[in-house]
Amino acid sequence: MQLDVVTLFPEWFDWFRGQRHVANAMAHGHELRTLNPREHTPLSGGQVDDTPFGGGAGMVLRVDVMDAAMRGFYGVDPVDLRHQRRVLALTPGGRMLDEGFVEELAEEPAITLLCGRYEGFDERIVQHFASDPVSVGRYVLSGGELAAMVVMDAVLRKLPGSLGHANSAVEESFSEALGGDPEYPHYTRPAEYRGWKVPDVLLSGHHEEIRQWRRARSRERGAAGTSGSSLP
Ligand code: ADE
């Protein structure tokens, strides 16, 4: 998969690239590129944003700047680009990211992620250049960069070569294998710590009983709408 991020802060993604599962995915032929609109802006002084029409706080990323950056990078009108590859605009009001959406994105050969800053994008960027506005939650981040990393992290772990263990992503939270429920709890050594015991069934070696126990815990968590971390 080719992942392109349009961002005013490309250096943020150096850290992301260095993470083990991301580096593994790159070693398997997946690609992560960044494009900085500031380097393509037709405006003087590297200007990329402007004050909002109608007044209000903050700065808004300009549509003409985004147009020039994407056109320069891809060599096509960004209005057409979104018919050639998924172009996600990260914005708090977008389609909420969930496991189904992640699986859909993981099927794509190429995705572009547009990051807004400050007060976000000129709305015409979302309307005319994006195939999908995407939100990672009903809260406001100071830019789309962390949201883009959330999307890419969730997508990359679905791709072959990213996770060490081939099955790690198959039976995980919200997967089809778990009927869309959150994952069951995991335990490791020691079997008892400060009096907190690992459930006996997990130490029993009975694979079918373990499978049933895990399925039941997963269903419980799904029904409760929690990952089971409620305080006593
Ligand atoms: N940009 C700012 N906040 C965001 C959010 N919650 N999701 C996606 N992009 C964002």
Side-chain angles (χ1 to χ4, degrees):
M1 176 184 289
Q2 185 178 63
L3 292 162
D4 292 342
V5 186
V6 185
T7 170
L8 295 171
F9 300 93
E11 65 281 0
W12 284 40
F13 295 87
D14 295 342
W15 172 84
F16 185 70
R17 265 196 204 90
Q19 302 312 301
R20 174 74 61 90
H21 63 297
V22 180
N24 284 348
M26 302 300 123
H28 274 77
H30 303 296
E31 209 182 348
L32 170 55
R33 306 186 296 180
T34 51
L35 160 64
N36 187 351
R38 207 178 292 282
E39 286 170 12
H40 297 260
T41 180
L43 307 176
S44 61
Q47 187 186 350
V48 290
D49 50 16
D50 227 316
T51 51
F53 283 129
M59 301 293 274
V60 177
L61 198 58
R62 286 175 57 135
V63 63
D64 51 349
V65 170
M66 189 60 101
D67 194 347
M70 293 176 73
R71 201 182 283 260
F73 192 70
Y74 291 108
V76 295
D77 185 335
V79 168
D80 299 324
L81 182 70
R82 61 188 174 158
H83 301 299
Q84 296 169 17
R85 57 194 287 149
R86 289 291 267 276
V87 179
L88 314 182
L90 283 315
T91 173
R95 173 178 167 191
M96 197 63 70
L97 190 70
D98 62 13
E99 197 66 6
F101 195 4
V102 169
E103 276 162 16
E104 193 182 310
L105 294 173
E107 299 293 318
E108 297 288 332
I111 297 178
T112 299
L113 300 100
L114 310 180
C115 302
R117 265 274 133 182
Y118 319 117
E119 288 308 296
F121 306 104
D122 184 302
E123 188 59 23
R124 291 167 291 185
I125 293 174
V126 182
Q127 278 176 349
H128 301 291
F129 299 162
S131 57
D132 310 79
V134 179
S135 171
V136 298
R138 300 251 167 248
Y139 45 81
V140 183
L141 299 166
S142 51
E145 283 75 13
L146 287 173
M149 287 186 217
V150 168
V151 173
M152 292 193 294
D153 188 283
V155 169
L156 282 174
R157 55 181 287 117
K158 300 280 178 209
L159 304 181
S162 160
L163 301 181
H165 189 290
N167 276 336
S168 301
V170 173
E171 208 178 82
E172 66 178 4
S173 291
F174 317 115
S175 63
E176 224 172 272
L178 293 181
D181 286 322
E183 204 173 3
Y184 44 79
H186 296 282
Y187 298 89
T188 186
R189 279 176 279 272
E192 182 173 347
Y193 181 69
R194 293 178 59 185
W196 305 322
K197 287 187 175 166
V198 171
D200 286 338
V201 60
L202 298 178
L203 308 175
S204 70
H206 292 131
H207 297 296
E208 182 51 26
E209 280 178 32
I210 291 172
R211 197 192 63 74
Q212 286 177 15
W213 181 89
R214 286 179 164 168
R215 191 70 200 90
R217 299 293 81 72
S218 187
R219 282 213 183 89
E220 270 170 18
R221 286 181 163 186
T226 150
S227 60
S229 60
S230 51
L231 293 170

